[in-house]
Amino acid sequence: MDMDKQKILIVGGSSGMGLALARRCLAEGAGVVIAGRGEAKLDAARGELGRPAALETAAVDIGSEDQVAALFQRIDRLDHIVSTAADIEGAYRLLPEIELEAAQRVVESKFYGPLLLAKHGAPQLPANGSLTFVSGIAAYRPAARGAVVAAVNAALEGLVRALAVELAPIRVNAVSPGWVDTPIWEFVAGDKKDDTLAAMAKRLPAGRVGRPQDIADAIRFLIGNGFTTGETLHVEGGQRLV
Ligand SMILES: NC(=O)c1ccc[n+]([C@@H]2O[C@H](COP(=O)([O-])OP(=O)(O)OC[C@H]3O[C@@H](n4cnc5c(N)ncnc54)[C@H](OP(=O)(O)O)[C@@H]3O)[C@@H](O)[C@H]2O)c1
C-alpha cells in the first residue's frame, strides 16, 4: 500500500497511541486528520507534530451521532478510519463506587463511538479501506475496579467481528494493547502511575511496558495488510501468559 496516497482519520490522535500513529503515518507521507473533543489538545498535538501541511484537525465527540455525521460531511476524501478514543475518567472504581454516568462515557467513547464511525464513515471508504479500533488487556486480565472497561473492550471486539462481515470488503480490526505508558494512566493510577507501570514491567515477558509507538506499529500493520479482517491483534508484552 502506498501510504503517500492514503488519507487516515485518527480519532484520539491528540494523545498517546493515536498521536504516535499520526506521527508514523505523516512520516510515511499519508494525509492525516486527528480528531478529539478538546480543541486546545488538538492544537497542542498539531504543534508537537510540527504543523505539517498534510495534517488536519477536527473537534468531535464520537459519542454524539450528530457530531459524527457532521464530521464526515466536512472530510472530503478518506481511506482509513482509526479510533483510539477512550474516556475512562471516573470509571476505574470498585462496584459500590461506580457511577453510571462515568460508565456511560466509556461506552460512548469505546463502543457507540466506533459504531457511529462505522455507520457514517464506512460509506465514504473505498473497497480497500479499513477501520481499526482499540480494545485492551482488561478484557482478558480483568482486575478489581476494571469491570466497566473490561466489558466494553470485550463488546468492542465482538462489534469488530460483526462489522468485518457486514462491511466487507472493507476490513475491520482491533488492536488489544497491554499496559502502555500514555496520559490515560493519570485516570487509572494518578500519582502512582510510575510505580504501577514499573511493577508491571518486571512481570512481563517483554521486560517493559508498552510505548505508544508499539501500538502505532500494530495499527499500521492492520491498515496496510489487505488479508486481515475481523481480527484482534494483541500487543501486550506477553501479559496474557503471566
Ligand atoms: N494506555 C494503556 O495502558 C491502555 C491499555 C489498554 C487499552 N488502552 C486503550 O487504548 C486506547 C488509546 O489509549 P491512550 O492510552 O492512547 O489514551 P489517551 O492518551 O488518554 O488518549 C485518548 C484520546 O481519546 C480522545 N477522546 C476521548 N474520548 C473521546 C470522545 N468521546 N470523542 C472523541 N475523542 C475522544 C482524547 O481526546 P479528548 O479528551 O480531547 O477528547 C484523546 O485524544 C484507548 O481505547 C484505551 O482504552 C490503553
Side-chain angles (χ1 to χ4, degrees):
M1 172 175 293
D2 294 334
M3 279 298 268
D4 58 348
K5 295 191 178 64
Q6 309 299 309
K7 186 163 176 189
I8 303 161
L9 169 66
I10 306 172
V11 183
S14 61
S15 180
M17 301 172 195
L19 180 58
L21 179 67
R23 186 174 284 113
R24 168 83 190 257
C25 293
L26 286 164
E28 289 190 66
V32 172
V33 183
I34 56 170
R37 294 165 303 179
E39 306 237 17
K41 218 152 126 180
L42 286 167
D43 198 50
R46 191 210 284 265
E48 259 191 69
L49 293 167
R51 303 187 181 278
L55 176 67
E56 299 165 49
T57 61
V60 65
D61 180 343
I62 56 167
S64 156
E65 181 154 18
D66 288 349
Q67 290 189 35
V68 173
L71 171 72
F72 288 110
Q73 276 160 15
R74 290 202 301 275
I75 300 175
D76 56 349
R77 190 186 73 79
L78 209 53
D79 299 290
H80 305 276
I81 297 170
V82 176
S83 180
T84 64
D87 182 349
I88 63 161
E89 188 172 1
Y92 263 94
R93 296 273 191 281
L94 293 173
L95 280 180
E97 289 141 28
I98 284 184
E99 291 185 7
L100 208 53
E101 190 263 337
Q104 272 162 352
R105 278 187 282 106
V106 182
V107 178
E108 282 167 10
S109 56
K110 292 203 64 160
F111 184 79
Y112 290 146
L115 184 72
L116 292 171
L117 289 170
K119 176 179 170 182
H120 293 279
Q124 257 179 259
L125 298 182
N128 63 351
S130 71
L131 295 115
T132 309
F133 301 120
V134 179
S135 57
I137 188 73
Y140 297 86
R141 284 285 176 278
R145 304 194 305 134
V148 172
V149 175
V152 175
N153 285 339
L156 176 59
E157 292 179 10
L159 177 70
V160 158
R161 288 187 287 273
L163 291 179
V165 173
E166 181 167 339
L167 297 177
I170 292 168
R171 295 171 298 104
V172 188
N173 292 291
V175 172
S176 176
W179 291 16
V180 180
D181 189 354
T182 73
I184 211 170
W185 275 90
E186 313 296 339
F187 298 123
V188 183
D191 57 9
K192 297 193 186 72
K193 171 183 170 176
D194 290 344
D195 292 346
T196 309
L197 291 177
M200 175 52 84
K202 283 191 193 141
R203 284 178 48 207
L204 289 176
R208 63 171 176 85
V209 295
R211 302 179 186 115
Q213 300 90 311
D214 296 322
I215 309 307
D217 253 5
I219 297 173
R220 170 64 183 85
F221 166 78
L222 292 171
I223 289 173
N225 188 287
F227 201 49
T228 305
T229 192
E231 188 58 88
T232 295
L233 177 54
H234 297 272
V235 185
E236 36 80 297
Q239 189 170 347
R240 285 174 304 149
L241 303 174
V242 296

